[in-house]
């Protein structure tokens, strides 16, 4: 969809299986507040109190989530209307964000390229800014691999090639607290139900998984694997990891109707840099230098499990 460059539907044809949560009408996509399928940015996830410093200047971004700045602010990239160009095997979306849009320095041009490659959807992002800035967009796709989205993701198996995840502060922002993933994964793979029932304080704090997982082997693309009995989704990325969110705040609404609008109705793999790292380890932060281009690739690869 040109609104939010959103991925509203992704059908795995061999099983005629809708694998993502989204709405097919613009009206519904505009009314939802869950970032369903949208390209979020400029910077995905939270920035502590919306404040960061770059080249000696401190920037105050708008606050839109408790005390924090979330997913690029109240008018982030998820609400932009992109220019769309069709290609033989995909679509290209372009958006230009003016200098100081949502408080961020630099005029920034973003290109989102979706294309199909056999059983994979490949998403290439490219950004260029005319000033040094922060840039860390991602696709906020909620997956649910069950034949019916009335069924939550609890029965899915999750494999994470990640030994470390980052803890959250009391107010829900990623902080410089590296914790062993084994503390929340009962086994690897783990059934999501078992993880969510865990009593780790970080799971209690976030009502489930809402944490950044760092790849153990940075050179390998796999970030996470999600499976049900007949289908496997592998999420691969050039990023160092992914923020994994088990749909803890998805809920029913008076105006919108969809089976997945319930707690844990879907799970997101938000591939980007370590959230809020500009405030605790700038060497990990998504700093985009003036006139340099930033590129990243994320792949959603499907594989059928033969009965
Ligand atoms: C996720 C974030 C969650 C929540 C959600 C939107 O990316 O990690 O905490 O804000 O977006 O409802």
């Amino acid at each position: 969809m040109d609104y939010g460059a959103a991925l509203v539907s992704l059908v795995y044809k061999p099983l005629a299986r809708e694998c993502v949560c989204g709405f097919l009408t613009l009206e519904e996509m505009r009314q939802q507040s869950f970032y369903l399928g949208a390209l979020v940015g400029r910077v995905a996830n939270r920035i502590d109190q919306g404040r960061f410093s770059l080249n000696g200047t401190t920037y105050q971004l708008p606050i839109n989530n408790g005390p924090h700045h979330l997913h690029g602010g109240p008018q982030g990239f998820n609400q932009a209307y992109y220019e769309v160009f069709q290609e033989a095997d995909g679509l290209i979306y372009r958006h230009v964000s003016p200098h100081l849009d949502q408080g961020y320095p630099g005029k920034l041009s973003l290109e989102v390229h979706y294309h199909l490659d056999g059983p994979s959807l490949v998403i290439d992002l490219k950004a260029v800014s005319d000033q040094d800035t922060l840039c860390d967009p991602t696709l906020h796709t909620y997956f649910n691999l069950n034949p019916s989205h009335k069924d939550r993701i609890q029965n899915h198996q999750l494999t994470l090639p990640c030994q470390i995840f980052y803890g959250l502060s009391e107010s829900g922002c990623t902080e410089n607290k590296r914790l062993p993933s084994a503390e929340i994964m009962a086994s690897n793979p783990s059934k999501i139900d078992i993880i969510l029932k865990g009593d780790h304080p970080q799971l209690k704090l976030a009502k489930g998984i809402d944490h950044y997982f760092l790849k153990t082997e940075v050179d390998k693309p796999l970030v996470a694997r999600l499976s049900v009995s007949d289908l496997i989704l592998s999420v691969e990325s050039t990023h160092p990891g992914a923020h994994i969110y088990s749909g803890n705040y998805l809920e029913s609404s008076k105006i919108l109707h969809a089976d997945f609008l319930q707690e844990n109705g879907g799970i997101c793999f938000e591939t980007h840099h370590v959230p809020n790292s500009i405030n605790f380890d700038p060497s990990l932060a998504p700093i985009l230098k003036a006139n340099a281009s930033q590129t990243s690739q994320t792949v959603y690869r499907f594989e059928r499990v033969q009965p």
Side-chain angles (χ1 to χ4, degrees):
M1 192 174 277
D2 64 345
Y3 177 69
L7 175 64
V8 293
S9 170
L10 181 58
V11 175
Y12 180 68
K13 282 193 178 169
L15 290 168
R17 178 85 42 90
E18 175 59 80
C19 295
V20 306
C21 310
F23 290 105
L24 296 177
T25 70
L26 173 61
E27 191 57 20
E28 290 168 300
M29 283 302 279
R30 281 171 57 95
Q31 284 170 346
Q32 56 90 19
S33 56
F34 309 108
Y35 303 88
L36 288 176
L39 199 284
V40 297
R42 290 189 188 188
V43 174
N45 210 270
R46 293 177 179 78
I47 296 180
D48 191 14
Q49 296 174 68
R51 243 191 323 270
F52 72 93
S53 295
L54 190 64
N55 302 333
T57 303
T58 298
Y59 294 90
Q60 177 64 58
L61 307 173
I63 302 302
N64 59 332
N65 183 260
H68 307 299
H69 175 87
L70 175 71
H71 294 329
Q75 262 94 51
F77 286 179
N78 59 305
Q79 291 175 45
Y81 287 87
Y82 290 68
E83 265 193 290
V84 190
F85 305 87
Q86 191 155 4
E87 283 197 321
D89 65 342
L91 293 165
I92 296 179
Y93 291 74
R94 291 205 184 110
H95 173 58
V96 177
S97 164
H99 175 54
L100 293 180
D101 185 11
Q102 301 298 290
Y104 291 95
K107 177 182 169 192
L108 183 132
S109 305
L110 176 70
E111 190 173 285
V112 184
H113 186 186
Y114 284 105
H115 78 271
L116 292 169
D117 178 15
S120 303
L121 177 67
V122 181
I123 304 119
D124 281 294
L125 301 184
K126 183 173 167 195
V128 182
S129 164
D130 64 358
Q131 288 184 39
D132 290 5
T133 192
L134 284 190
C135 181
D136 207 13
T138 194
L139 198 62
H140 203 283
T141 313
Y142 290 76
F143 290 94
N144 182 326
L145 304 182
N146 286 322
S148 163
H149 286 179
K150 282 192 182 123
D151 295 323
R152 305 171 193 232
I153 52 151
Q154 263 79 346
N155 64 329
H156 292 35
Q157 296 275 346
L158 184 62
T159 309
L160 297 177
C162 309
Q163 280 160 10
I164 299 289
F165 75 102
Y166 280 81
L168 305 177
S169 67
E170 281 298 314
S171 56
C173 191
T174 301
E175 57 183 10
N176 198 11
K177 187 155 59 178
R178 292 159 63 103
L179 301 167
S181 306
E183 284 185 4
I184 58 166
M185 300 288 287
S187 53
N188 200 1
S190 244
K191 203 170 159 206
I192 292 186
D193 190 30
I194 309 283
I195 305 175
L196 296 180
K197 282 187 179 142
D199 57 6
H200 195 286
Q202 282 291 328
L203 293 171
K204 299 268 177 234
L205 185 64
K207 285 181 66 193
I209 312 168
D210 196 356
H211 299 87
Y212 191 87
F213 288 80
L214 208 53
K215 282 179 194 166
T216 304
E217 292 179 84
V218 265
D219 300 335
K220 299 228 172 115
L222 188 71
V223 175
R225 188 167 284 145
L226 184 72
S227 62
V228 289
S229 59
D230 54 359
L231 187 60
I232 302 172
L233 163 72
S234 297
V235 180
E236 301 175 350
S237 178
T238 52
H239 279 297
H243 190 90
I244 302 183
Y245 167 58
S246 54
N248 317 332
Y249 310 113
L250 273 178
E251 58 182 11
S252 61
S253 126
K254 286 206 179 85
I255 44 171
L256 292 169
H257 303 285
D259 290 340
F260 56 76
L261 288 181
Q262 54 178 337
E263 192 176 333
N264 311 128
I267 181 167
C268 303
F269 301 95
E270 304 161 40
T271 53
H272 51 69
H273 292 70
V274 179
N276 192 37
S277 49
I278 188 70
N279 286 315
F280 58 78
D281 185 351
S283 73
L284 302 175
I287 297 170
L288 172 58
K289 291 293 200 184
N291 305 314
S293 83
Q294 183 200 61
T295 58
S296 70
Q297 185 176 79
T298 294
V299 178
Y300 302 149
R301 186 186 307 286
F302 292 89
E303 193 188 322
R304 186 176 183 172
V305 180
Q306 294 300 339

